[in-house]
Amino acid sequence: MSVTVVGSIAFDAVTTPFGTRDRMLGGSAVHFALAAAFFDEVHVVGPVGGDFGEAEYEVLRARGIDTADIERVPGGRTFFWRGEYGWDLNDRVTLDTQLNVFAEFEPKLSAASRAAEVVFLANIQPELQRQVRAQCGAARFVALDSMNLWIETARDALVEAISEVDCVLLNDAELRQLTGEANLVRAAREIRAWGPRAVVAKQGEYGAALFTDDGFFGLPAFPLETVIDPTGAGDCFAGGFMGYVAAHPNGELDHELLSRAMAYGTALASFNVEEFGVERVARLTSDELSERVGELKRITHFIESPVALRG
Ligand code: AMP
């Protein structure tokens, strides 16, 4: 089994109350791939410019990630995003988005990328997500992420893309904006009526919630004393979530399995926010990851003990 991801491969400029980075490796596909690579082989699909160098490739290759479908446009510039966070790290402002090489990109997947059984359409233009989806005929589980920019500028294509996947991961505000529904339970049900059988609402430092036809499952974010930069946390979550699915090629992809996948997503996202960009996840060990999943289980589990209630 392997995982294919299409999404942004980026240089990010980020300011948080704890520091600034003017140009660091980022992008939804990059954050996703570094997380998913703990579970399976990952193929990254997307373009970069001539400014994307060996050092950037090496971060991915060091984790065994397949970069054959990263198309380098020597005269072009890599996708660029600039964002800023205030004290409330759930709240960020996008100051600049430059699609650059993504504006002309037409994905042509290698046989290995097309054969993946798990596919993640990370945040990028919905039309590109659809083109990649169409080429991945062997997939048994496809999920999609998006953001307000695409809800506002390409809603019809996004709704089409959503109708072609098994699972949607969006943050609360995006779910509300997309459906026009204030209540998340209703918003998730509406999206499931468009086609997907699972919806994950990402809730930043408050955790994540899973909605399927078989029920609901929620996990808080892992409690951390130090949070430096939340950029890419959602993509790391998706990488852990989808990676766990990919690691179970024979298991039924039911509510129970997706609930366990949420734990790996939550643990990976928690490491991501401890440092800027990909810094922490790029040197994370599998022992550290397993230990945190165990800790997460301990702090979210309780033993039901009936008590005599009055009245
Ligand atoms: P997250 O914090 O999980 O939403 O992901 C942040 C990452 O998404 C950054 O590394 C950015 O490079 C990337 N990003 C920001 N805006 C966009 C966009 N409009 N399309 C694709 N990727 C984006």
Side-chain angles (χ1 to χ4, degrees):
M1 245 203 2
S2 67
V3 181
T4 290
V5 57
V6 62
S8 54
I9 303 165
F11 286 119
D12 290 343
V14 173
T15 298
T16 83
F18 312 104
T20 294
R21 293 286 189 278
D22 289 330
R23 185 177 184 273
M24 62 183 182
L25 176 62
S28 51
V30 169
H31 285 288
F32 173 91
L34 289 170
F38 276 97
F39 305 85
D40 207 341
E41 189 182 5
V42 182
H43 314 281
V44 177
V45 176
V48 296
D51 51 353
F52 199 83
E54 264 315 301
E56 284 77 34
Y57 277 110
E58 189 45 36
V59 173
L60 298 170
R61 288 179 183 147
R63 290 294 192 178
I65 294 165
D66 173 24
T67 57
D69 278 348
I70 296 184
E71 190 180 313
R72 197 157 180 273
V73 185
R77 289 174 67 82
T78 299
F79 179 100
F80 177 78
W81 176 76
R82 180 186 296 279
E84 189 169 334
Y85 299 79
W87 285 106
D88 177 355
L89 291 171
N90 272 347
D91 198 23
R92 82 170 168 217
V93 186
T94 290
L95 300 172
D96 195 5
T97 301
Q98 296 171 17
L99 287 181
N100 296 332
V101 286
F102 265 101
E104 308 292 327
F105 179 58
E106 289 178 13
K108 290 176 273 319
L109 275 59
S110 62
S113 294
R114 284 199 306 271
E117 293 192 348
V118 171
V119 175
F120 188 58
L121 310 174
N123 178 26
I124 198 62
Q125 294 104 305
E127 275 306 341
L128 287 180
Q129 295 179 313
R130 293 192 68 200
Q131 287 175 32
V132 170
R133 171 69 190 99
Q135 292 180 50
C136 293
R140 70 192 277 255
F141 193 73
V142 184
L144 167 154
D145 185 13
S146 192
M147 70 180 296
N148 58 348
L149 176 67
W150 310 119
I151 298 172
E152 284 153 23
T153 62
R155 188 179 187 282
D156 290 349
L158 178 58
V159 172
E160 282 294 322
I162 288 175
S163 73
E164 295 162 358
V165 301
D166 303 291
C167 177
V168 169
L169 296 99
L170 288 175
N171 70 33
D172 286 10
E174 292 158 355
L175 280 170
R176 293 193 174 98
Q177 186 182 11
L178 181 60
T179 58
E181 181 59 72
N183 179 290
L184 276 189
V185 180
R186 286 172 186 269
R189 185 179 313 121
E190 176 163 346
I191 288 187
R192 293 201 325 275
W194 300 351
R197 58 192 149 105
V199 174
V200 175
K202 297 179 289 176
Q203 303 170 313
E205 67 178 296
Y206 305 112
L210 169 72
F211 301 87
T212 71
D213 288 343
D214 294 321
F216 171 86
F217 180 70
L219 275 181
F222 188 82
L224 296 169
E225 290 206 13
T226 306
V227 177
I228 299 293
D229 171 22
T231 307
D235 306 305
C236 276
F237 177 94
F241 181 82
M242 299 293 281
Y244 187 87
V245 170
H248 293 80
N250 303 315
E252 201 188 327
L253 302 180
D254 58 10
H255 185 82
E256 303 308 321
L257 185 131
L258 297 182
S259 299
R260 292 196 296 276
M262 295 263 292
Y264 281 84
T266 299
L268 272 153
S270 75
F271 284 109
N272 179 76
V273 304
E274 288 180 340
E275 293 178 26
F276 273 98
V278 303
E279 289 167 12
R280 182 67 182 96
V281 175
R283 60 161 213 283
L284 181 66
T285 67
S286 43
D287 283 349
E288 289 173 318
L289 175 56
S290 301
E291 194 184 325
R292 189 158 290 181
V293 170
E295 184 74 353
L296 187 63
K297 174 164 188 280
R298 195 183 62 72
I299 64 172
T300 54
H301 175 81
F302 70 91
I303 296 162
E304 196 178 357
S305 168
V307 59
L309 299 171
R310 301 174 70 208

